[in-house]
Amino acid sequence: MATETKIKKVVLAYSGGLDTSIIIPWLKENYNNCEVIAVAADVGQGSELTGLEEKAKKTGASKLYIADLKKAFAEDYIWPTLKAGAVYENKYLLGTSFARPLIAKRLVEIAQAEGADAICHGCTGKGNDQVRFELAIKAFAPTMKIIAPWREWSIKSRDEEIDYAEAHNIPLNITRETNYSKDKNLWHLSHEGMDLEDPANEPTYNKPGFLELGVSPEQAPDKPTYITLKFEKGVPVSLDSQKLCAVDMIAKLNELGGANGIGIADIVQNRLVGMKSRGVYETPGGEILYHAHNKLEELCLDRDTYHYKQSVGIKFAELVYFGQWFTPLREALTAFVESTQQTVTGEVKLKLYKGNIIDAGVTSPYSLYDEDIATFSEDEVYNQADSAGFINLFGLPIQVQAMKKLKK
């Protein structure tokens, strides 16, 4: 590729993984020995951040920013998506999807503060993340140049990436035999590649080291774990009567859910770019929260709102998955969701047992359930004879259509 001499300073989304580790020397080789500023976003990946500054500088970066985004991630991205009940294709709880816009926004802020000429990411040309990063960058820096090495370089596979790393003496924390593509944050951990690329292969859940956030249902304890979650206006605020901030709430539920084999999903999903991909996701705390939140909405939302909100959740999930977080429609849907959550307050009791989340009771001061009306026992509230007239009117279109058919 032709060297672009006007690119003097590049901000790189840096994780220290295989892709971004080799991108630093590649940028310097192909963009006129430009200055590379690495930015690692702390969205809850924990020990993966250890030693990143030394590694980034050794491979050619001038400096490393570590941006602590955990609180913003939980409160401004995870909670609105949870309240929307947004699930992509019935199974994916959007763990990678809603982290990318947040990270990209911070990249823009640092690039503008540093006077950078370009922002670089390590997303492949086959995936969704390239879209998520770049749409967010366009939302805040519409004229900023974006460098995507996977769309430029001659490297074609992860094996070739490892070859490049070895040739440039770049240390890696993976081997060719354990080269899963992983993404970890506060909310989830994803596994893709290698044997998972064939949907016919059963994931090696019981193989040591495969699952990181918990255990398989077979390995979970024989004794169930009971928990009680309290919500206020759709937001989880306490666990077993202990108030927790958003970050601690997710971390604790990941621990409890993981120990009980909760939240493992094997998914073949439709990527935005058109292909299907297969991955295994660990989202123990997220699955518990979605289950509990929906249980409370069953009790507190009227029928029409509850049903319509389900369709909104599908669209909301698509917007998040497609990288369209910073759009008028996503903001409008969030406003709708917020209006539905004003009465989603109460407590949900759950039993966690060998990969299952079992309802164990729900209460709310805004409950729309009326035992006097719903009872199968004798009551003086509901006149069952009224239903005859209702059915006649409700079924009138069907009856008219049937009579017309008979005349023909």
Side-chain angles (χ1 to χ4, degrees):
M1 57 164 285
T3 300
E4 295 199 31
T5 55
K6 65 180 180 180
I7 302 296
K8 297 180 180 179
K9 185 183 290 188
V10 179
V11 166
L12 168 67
Y14 184 73
S15 68
L18 176 58
D19 294 331
T20 57
S21 292
I22 69 171
I23 282 175
I24 294 175
W26 181 87
L27 281 170
K28 299 182 79 67
E29 288 175 359
N30 291 274
Y31 283 87
N32 197 36
N33 197 34
C34 62
E35 180 184 356
V36 179
I37 297 171
V39 178
D42 181 0
V43 285
Q45 59 270 53
S47 61
E48 291 182 8
L49 296 168
T50 303
L52 278 194
E53 183 172 10
E54 181 183 4
K55 183 176 182 179
K57 289 182 176 179
K58 276 187 176 180
T59 50
S62 63
K63 67 175 75 170
L64 171 73
Y65 284 90
I66 295 182
D68 187 350
L69 303 177
K70 295 189 294 295
K71 183 175 184 293
F73 181 37
E75 294 179 356
D76 300 336
Y77 294 79
I78 294 177
W79 280 178
T81 307
L82 167 68
K83 287 188 282 187
V87 182
Y88 185 70
E89 296 187 339
N90 299 314
K91 294 175 77 174
Y92 178 41
L93 298 185
L94 301 163
T96 299
S97 306
F98 50 24
R100 298 315 193 206
L102 169 65
I103 296 169
K105 182 181 179 183
R106 186 67 180 124
L107 288 173
V108 169
E109 292 167 351
I110 291 173
Q112 291 173 337
E114 287 281 353
D117 306 301
I119 293 174
C120 179
H121 64 74
C123 309
T124 74
K126 287 185 175 182
N128 302 303
D129 280 343
Q130 58 181 336
V131 182
R132 296 164 184 157
F133 271 110
E134 294 186 29
L135 292 192
I137 292 169
K138 291 179 186 297
F140 295 99
T143 61
M144 178 71 69
K145 179 173 175 57
I146 298 171
I147 300 173
W150 271 103
R151 304 202 293 255
E152 298 181 20
W153 62 22
S154 59
I155 295 171
K156 302 298 182 185
S157 68
R158 289 177 71 80
D159 273 343
E160 290 185 11
E161 284 187 286
I162 294 174
D163 292 338
Y164 184 97
E166 291 174 347
H168 289 75
N169 298 313
I170 298 171
L172 300 174
N173 58 1
I174 61 170
T175 68
R176 295 180 193 271
E177 290 72 34
T178 60
N179 190 18
Y180 286 110
S181 176
K182 297 187 179 185
D183 178 72
K184 184 179 182 181
N185 60 40
L186 176 68
W187 188 245
H188 90 150
L189 172 65
S190 65
H191 312 253
E192 293 179 318
M194 296 183 64
D195 57 302
L196 297 178
E197 291 190 343
D198 184 351
N201 292 332
E202 180 181 4
T204 54
Y205 296 129
N206 293 321
K207 183 179 179 180
F210 181 78
L211 295 176
E212 296 182 28
L213 299 187
V215 299
S216 68
E218 297 94 327
Q219 296 173 319
D222 293 332
K223 183 180 178 181
T225 299
Y226 282 90
I227 63 170
T228 300
L229 280 164
K230 182 178 180 181
F231 289 79
E232 292 180 1
K233 295 185 177 181
V235 175
V237 294
S238 71
L239 172 63
D240 295 331
S241 300
Q242 180 184 4
K243 287 191 174 182
L244 296 173
C245 70
V247 173
D248 291 344
M249 173 70 75
I250 295 167
K252 184 61 179 178
L253 288 174
N254 273 339
E255 177 186 330
L256 292 170
N260 284 279
I262 304 293
I264 302 168
D266 181 354
I267 306 171
V268 175
Q269 62 191 252
N270 289 292
R271 286 183 180 172
L272 174 57
V273 294
M275 70 184 72
K276 289 185 182 288
S277 65
R278 193 271 188 100
V280 170
Y281 297 82
E282 299 179 63
T283 323
E287 186 167 323
I288 293 169
L289 285 168
Y290 266 77
H291 186 108
H293 180 262
N294 180 67
K295 189 65 183 176
L296 192 56
E297 286 193 325
E298 286 180 9
L299 194 69
C300 299
L301 295 186
D302 66 278
R303 181 191 63 197
D304 289 349
T305 301
Y306 184 62
H307 288 181
Y308 189 78
K309 186 174 175 291
Q310 289 175 326
S311 65
V312 168
I314 292 172
K315 185 60 182 179
F316 197 107
E318 280 189 350
L319 292 173
V320 176
Y321 189 85
F322 294 166
Q324 296 172 297
W325 185 272
F326 300 113
T327 60
L329 179 56
R330 198 282 306 165
E331 292 173 0
L333 293 185
T334 293
F336 165 78
V337 169
E338 284 299 316
S339 72
T340 69
Q341 299 299 290
Q342 300 310 300
T343 61
V344 184
T345 294
E347 293 190 348
V348 182
K349 187 177 181 181
L350 301 171
K351 179 165 68 172
L352 313 180
Y353 183 66
K354 290 189 175 294
N356 297 291
I357 304 174
I358 303 166
D359 297 324
V362 57
T363 60
S364 171
Y366 299 101
S367 171
L368 297 180
Y369 180 85
D370 190 324
E371 187 175 352
D372 289 338
I373 294 176
T375 181
F376 281 95
S377 301
E378 183 178 354
D379 70 88
E380 297 179 357
V381 179
Y382 186 93
N383 185 350
Q384 298 194 31
D386 290 344
S387 63
F390 164 74
I391 294 170
N392 286 335
L393 294 177
F394 190 66
L396 185 59
I398 297 173
Q399 187 176 14
V400 169
Q401 186 179 38
M403 291 172 67
K404 292 290 186 182
K405 285 181 180 179
L406 286 175
K407 285 183 179 180
K408 289 182 179 180

mmCIF file of all heavy atoms in Angstrom, residues 328-350:
data_model
loop_
_atom_site.group_PDB
_atom_site.id
_atom_site.type_symbol
_atom_site.label_atom_id
_atom_site.label_comp_id
_atom_site.label_asym_id
_atom_site.label_seq_id
_atom_site.Cartn_x
_atom_site.Cartn_y
_atom_site.Cartn_z
ATOM 1 N N PRO A 328 -31.030 8.846 16.160
ATOM 2 C CA PRO A 328 -32.294 9.363 16.691
ATOM 3 C C PRO A 328 -33.287 8.261 17.055
ATOM 4 O O PRO A 328 -34.014 8.384 18.048
ATOM 5 C CB PRO A 328 -32.831 10.227 15.543
ATOM 6 C CG PRO A 328 -31.617 10.629 14.774
ATOM 7 C CD PRO A 328 -30.681 9.457 14.861
ATOM 8 N N LEU A 329 -33.324 7.181 16.274
ATOM 9 C CA LEU A 329 -34.287 6.119 16.567
ATOM 10 C C LEU A 329 -33.957 5.413 17.870
ATOM 11 O O LEU A 329 -34.853 5.158 18.686
ATOM 12 C CB LEU A 329 -34.344 5.113 15.415
ATOM 13 C CG LEU A 329 -35.311 3.936 15.619
ATOM 14 C CD1 LEU A 329 -36.724 4.424 15.912
ATOM 15 C CD2 LEU A 329 -35.298 3.017 14.400
ATOM 16 N N ARG A 330 -32.680 5.105 18.102
ATOM 17 C CA ARG A 330 -32.318 4.444 19.359
ATOM 18 C C ARG A 330 -32.667 5.343 20.532
ATOM 19 O O ARG A 330 -33.210 4.890 21.552
ATOM 20 C CB ARG A 330 -30.825 4.098 19.352
ATOM 21 C CG ARG A 330 -30.419 3.039 20.390
ATOM 22 C CD ARG A 330 -30.306 3.554 21.788
ATOM 23 N NE ARG A 330 -29.407 4.695 21.856
ATOM 24 C CZ ARG A 330 -29.335 5.515 22.882
ATOM 25 N NH1 ARG A 330 -30.118 5.360 23.950
ATOM 26 N NH2 ARG A 330 -28.506 6.558 22.863
ATOM 27 N N GLU A 331 -32.403 6.634 20.401
ATOM 28 C CA GLU A 331 -32.726 7.558 21.487
ATOM 29 C C GLU A 331 -34.232 7.646 21.711
ATOM 30 O O GLU A 331 -34.705 7.714 22.853
ATOM 31 C CB GLU A 331 -32.144 8.936 21.166
ATOM 32 C CG GLU A 331 -30.625 8.964 21.196
ATOM 33 C CD GLU A 331 -30.054 10.275 20.709
ATOM 34 O OE1 GLU A 331 -30.857 11.174 20.352
ATOM 35 O OE2 GLU A 331 -28.816 10.422 20.681
ATOM 36 N N ALA A 332 -34.999 7.629 20.627
ATOM 37 C CA ALA A 332 -36.458 7.691 20.749
ATOM 38 C C ALA A 332 -37.006 6.431 21.403
ATOM 39 O O ALA A 332 -37.917 6.493 22.246
ATOM 40 C CB ALA A 332 -37.088 7.894 19.376
ATOM 41 N N LEU A 333 -36.457 5.279 21.022
ATOM 42 C CA LEU A 333 -36.908 4.027 21.640
ATOM 43 C C LEU A 333 -36.558 3.996 23.121
ATOM 44 O O LEU A 333 -37.342 3.495 23.943
ATOM 45 C CB LEU A 333 -36.295 2.826 20.923
ATOM 46 C CG LEU A 333 -36.741 2.589 19.482
ATOM 47 C CD1 LEU A 333 -36.149 1.296 18.947
ATOM 48 C CD2 LEU A 333 -38.265 2.555 19.361
ATOM 49 N N THR A 334 -35.402 4.529 23.467
ATOM 50 C CA THR A 334 -35.029 4.599 24.884
ATOM 51 C C THR A 334 -36.011 5.468 25.652
ATOM 52 O O THR A 334 -36.391 5.145 26.788
ATOM 53 C CB THR A 334 -33.596 5.146 25.041
ATOM 54 O OG1 THR A 334 -32.670 4.196 24.494
ATOM 55 C CG2 THR A 334 -33.251 5.381 26.503
ATOM 56 N N ALA A 335 -36.438 6.568 25.043
ATOM 57 C CA ALA A 335 -37.424 7.438 25.705
ATOM 58 C C ALA A 335 -38.731 6.696 25.932
ATOM 59 O O ALA A 335 -39.356 6.813 27.000
ATOM 60 C CB ALA A 335 -37.657 8.692 24.859
ATOM 61 N N PHE A 336 -39.162 5.905 24.938
ATOM 62 C CA PHE A 336 -40.369 5.098 25.109
ATOM 63 C C PHE A 336 -40.190 4.096 26.247
ATOM 64 O O PHE A 336 -41.067 3.950 27.113
ATOM 65 C CB PHE A 336 -40.704 4.353 23.810
ATOM 66 C CG PHE A 336 -41.698 3.250 23.993
ATOM 67 C CD1 PHE A 336 -43.048 3.523 24.118
ATOM 68 C CD2 PHE A 336 -41.280 1.924 24.067
ATOM 69 C CE1 PHE A 336 -43.977 2.500 24.309
ATOM 70 C CE2 PHE A 336 -42.192 0.895 24.265
ATOM 71 C CZ PHE A 336 -43.543 1.186 24.379
ATOM 72 N N VAL A 337 -39.057 3.403 26.224
ATOM 73 C CA VAL A 337 -38.802 2.396 27.257
ATOM 74 C C VAL A 337 -38.822 3.031 28.641
ATOM 75 O O VAL A 337 -39.408 2.476 29.586
ATOM 76 C CB VAL A 337 -37.459 1.683 26.990
ATOM 77 C CG1 VAL A 337 -37.057 0.826 28.190
ATOM 78 C CG2 VAL A 337 -37.547 0.820 25.733
ATOM 79 N N GLU A 338 -38.180 4.180 28.779
ATOM 80 C CA GLU A 338 -38.147 4.851 30.081
ATOM 81 C C GLU A 338 -39.554 5.130 30.592
ATOM 82 O O GLU A 338 -39.836 4.995 31.788
ATOM 83 C CB GLU A 338 -37.348 6.149 29.984
ATOM 84 C CG GLU A 338 -35.843 5.954 29.937
ATOM 85 C CD GLU A 338 -35.308 5.273 31.190
ATOM 86 O OE1 GLU A 338 -35.722 5.650 32.300
ATOM 87 O OE2 GLU A 338 -34.482 4.356 31.049
ATOM 88 N N SER A 339 -40.458 5.510 29.700
ATOM 89 C CA SER A 339 -41.833 5.793 30.127
ATOM 90 C C SER A 339 -42.541 4.541 30.611
ATOM 91 O O SER A 339 -43.437 4.611 31.451
ATOM 92 C CB SER A 339 -42.612 6.439 28.984
ATOM 93 O OG SER A 339 -42.908 5.512 27.966
ATOM 94 N N THR A 340 -42.143 3.380 30.102
ATOM 95 C CA THR A 340 -42.778 2.122 30.525
ATOM 96 C C THR A 340 -42.243 1.632 31.864
ATOM 97 O O THR A 340 -42.850 0.750 32.483
ATOM 98 C CB THR A 340 -42.557 1.003 29.489
ATOM 99 O OG1 THR A 340 -41.172 0.610 29.482
ATOM 100 C CG2 THR A 340 -42.977 1.451 28.097
ATOM 101 N N GLN A 341 -41.112 2.163 32.299
ATOM 102 C CA GLN A 341 -40.443 1.612 33.477
ATOM 103 C C GLN A 341 -40.834 2.289 34.785
ATOM 104 O O GLN A 341 -40.335 1.909 35.852
ATOM 105 C CB GLN A 341 -38.921 1.703 33.287
ATOM 106 C CG GLN A 341 -38.391 0.929 32.105
ATOM 107 C CD GLN A 341 -38.664 -0.556 32.194
ATOM 108 O OE1 GLN A 341 -38.068 -1.263 33.026
ATOM 109 N NE2 GLN A 341 -39.564 -1.055 31.358
ATOM 110 N N GLN A 342 -41.717 3.254 34.719
ATOM 111 C CA GLN A 342 -42.043 4.028 35.922
ATOM 112 C C GLN A 342 -42.667 3.180 37.023
ATOM 113 O O GLN A 342 -42.563 3.518 38.211
ATOM 114 C CB GLN A 342 -42.965 5.195 35.559
ATOM 115 C CG GLN A 342 -42.361 6.171 34.554
ATOM 116 C CD GLN A 342 -40.971 6.631 34.952
ATOM 117 O OE1 GLN A 342 -40.801 7.219 36.020
ATOM 118 N NE2 GLN A 342 -39.983 6.358 34.119
ATOM 119 N N THR A 343 -43.307 2.081 36.653
ATOM 120 C CA THR A 343 -43.927 1.206 37.658
ATOM 121 C C THR A 343 -43.221 -0.138 37.787
ATOM 122 O O THR A 343 -43.718 -1.031 38.488
ATOM 123 C CB THR A 343 -45.408 0.956 37.314
ATOM 124 O OG1 THR A 343 -45.488 0.318 36.033
ATOM 125 C CG2 THR A 343 -46.190 2.254 37.294
ATOM 126 N N VAL A 344 -42.085 -0.293 37.118
ATOM 127 C CA VAL A 344 -41.363 -1.574 37.188
ATOM 128 C C VAL A 344 -40.460 -1.548 38.418
ATOM 129 O O VAL A 344 -39.236 -1.431 38.342
ATOM 130 C CB VAL A 344 -40.584 -1.842 35.888
ATOM 131 C CG1 VAL A 344 -39.917 -3.219 35.933
ATOM 132 C CG2 VAL A 344 -41.526 -1.769 34.688
ATOM 133 N N THR A 345 -41.109 -1.623 39.557
ATOM 134 C CA THR A 345 -40.444 -1.574 40.862
ATOM 135 C C THR A 345 -40.961 -2.740 41.702
ATOM 136 O O THR A 345 -42.166 -2.997 41.748
ATOM 137 C CB THR A 345 -40.752 -0.241 41.573
ATOM 138 O OG1 THR A 345 -40.162 0.824 40.837
ATOM 139 C CG2 THR A 345 -40.229 -0.239 43.001
ATOM 140 N N GLY A 346 -40.044 -3.434 42.343
ATOM 141 C CA GLY A 346 -40.461 -4.554 43.178
ATOM 142 C C GLY A 346 -39.329 -5.536 43.391
ATOM 143 O O GLY A 346 -38.163 -5.249 43.077
ATOM 144 N N GLU A 347 -39.661 -6.707 43.917
ATOM 145 C CA GLU A 347 -38.661 -7.726 44.227
ATOM 146 C C GLU A 347 -38.981 -9.028 43.502
ATOM 147 O O GLU A 347 -40.145 -9.430 43.405
ATOM 148 C CB GLU A 347 -38.594 -7.971 45.729
ATOM 149 C CG GLU A 347 -38.051 -6.785 46.519
ATOM 150 C CD GLU A 347 -37.766 -7.128 47.968
ATOM 151 O OE1 GLU A 347 -38.199 -8.212 48.434
ATOM 152 O OE2 GLU A 347 -37.079 -6.325 48.635
ATOM 153 N N VAL A 348 -37.926 -9.653 43.008
ATOM 154 C CA VAL A 348 -38.050 -10.930 42.300
ATOM 155 C C VAL A 348 -37.156 -11.951 42.995
ATOM 156 O O VAL A 348 -35.957 -11.715 43.165
ATOM 157 C CB VAL A 348 -37.633 -10.798 40.824
ATOM 158 C CG1 VAL A 348 -37.828 -12.125 40.097
ATOM 159 C CG2 VAL A 348 -38.412 -9.684 40.138
ATOM 160 N N LYS A 349 -37.743 -13.067 43.374
ATOM 161 C CA LYS A 349 -36.986 -14.144 44.002
ATOM 162 C C LYS A 349 -36.781 -15.249 42.972
ATOM 163 O O LYS A 349 -37.724 -15.667 42.295
ATOM 164 C CB LYS A 349 -37.731 -14.698 45.225
ATOM 165 C CG LYS A 349 -36.932 -15.722 46.036
ATOM 166 C CD LYS A 349 -37.709 -16.158 47.278
ATOM 167 C CE LYS A 349 -36.911 -17.155 48.101
ATOM 168 N NZ LYS A 349 -37.673 -17.602 49.306
ATOM 169 N N LEU A 350 -35.531 -15.712 42.852
ATOM 170 C CA LEU A 350 -35.185 -16.723 41.850
ATOM 171 C C LEU A 350 -34.396 -17.861 42.479
ATOM 172 O O LEU A 350 -33.669 -17.674 43.457
ATOM 173 C CB LEU A 350 -34.334 -16.096 40.729
ATOM 174 C CG LEU A 350 -34.947 -14.933 39.939
ATOM 175 C CD1 LEU A 350 -33.888 -14.311 39.051
ATOM 176 C CD2 LEU A 350 -36.146 -15.397 39.131
#
